[in-house]
Amino acid sequence: MPAALGRGTNLHPWLTASDLAVLDQWNARLVRLQFHANRPFVAADLANFLNFCGAYGLKAIISLSVIAAERDTFFDNDTYKANYQSLWLDIAAVTKNYTWEVAGLDLMNEPYLNQADAGKWNTYAEALSLAIRAVDTTHSFIVQPVLKDAYQIDTIGSLNLISDTNTIYSVHVGEPWSFTN
């Protein structure tokens, strides 16, 4: 991301224009909007949020997380994976209309697998990116390595590049834990 984006923060999708006005006062220019796969998705809510972003000059990274109850079995459960992909397709149907406001699509926040099973994430990330790209042809993907038995910086070697060249590879660094979480 260019340095011109300046300040930013993580947010949830149920914000109002007045919430974003505070970020405007901070001179924030980037927000990371975190969705969780178990919460109902309403396309109008995302569209309203992105409209607010446009009004306040904010760019948004859209990120989706697997819920904790499913994360240990997610990659071995075809229903979970199909539902997750379906949610991403619903999100992409909205984001494709916001070429300026959306800075990127974070395919999965901290994929929860051991390094030995990273191939499951690599395969799913490729399939997921292809499905989303069929709907949203513009925005960058953000792909993270697995995170379960080691910090992401230590597992980046097990991450395969996806075929889409409009991709940013990202690691989350959680040390020191008392400061970052």
Side-chain angles (χ1 to χ4, degrees):
M1 298 277 156
L5 287 176
R7 294 184 175 132
T9 190
N10 288 313
L11 300 172
H12 61 79
W14 304 279
L15 296 170
T16 65
S18 60
D19 295 326
L20 293 176
V22 170
L23 296 178
D24 188 52
Q25 292 171 2
W26 293 356
N27 200 28
R29 293 294 161 244
L30 179 68
V31 293
R32 182 172 177 263
L33 184 63
Q34 184 74 46
F35 283 97
H36 295 276
N38 66 324
R39 295 201 177 122
F41 172 76
V42 180
D45 290 342
L46 178 56
N48 286 337
F49 177 83
L50 293 173
N51 287 331
F52 291 151
C53 285
Y56 287 99
L58 293 163
K59 288 192 173 279
I61 292 172
I62 310 301
S63 182
L64 188 56
S65 289
V66 172
I67 63 169
E70 296 175 355
R71 71 182 187 173
D72 284 325
T73 58
F74 178 88
F75 290 99
D76 294 317
N77 187 309
D78 291 338
T79 300
Y80 290 165
K81 292 187 294 188
N83 290 342
Y84 191 87
Q85 179 175 310
S86 178
L87 179 53
W88 258 119
L89 296 180
D90 291 343
I91 291 169
V94 175
T95 60
K96 72 178 184 179
N97 299 314
Y98 291 88
T99 55
W100 185 88
E101 294 85 353
V102 177
L105 307 174
D106 189 351
L107 297 184
M108 184 178 288
N109 181 56
E110 298 177 347
Y112 196 72
L113 278 170
N114 290 314
Q115 279 183 272
D117 293 324
K120 293 177 183 180
W121 166 234
N122 290 329
T123 299
Y124 186 65
E126 177 68 23
L128 186 60
S129 67
L130 291 171
I132 295 168
R133 187 57 77 215
V135 178
D136 184 332
T137 60
T138 306
H139 295 104
S140 297
F141 293 127
I142 300 168
V143 179
Q144 301 175 37
V146 296
L147 172 74
K148 184 175 181 183
D149 61 346
Y151 292 113
Q152 283 187 323
I153 195 68
D154 297 326
T155 65
I156 199 161
S158 61
L159 179 63
N160 292 347
L161 302 181
I162 61 174
S163 60
D164 194 294
T165 57
N166 187 10
T167 302
I168 300 163
Y169 296 92
S170 171
V171 296
H172 287 189
V173 179
E175 288 295 323
W177 185 260
S178 60
F179 176 73
T180 62
N181 291 276

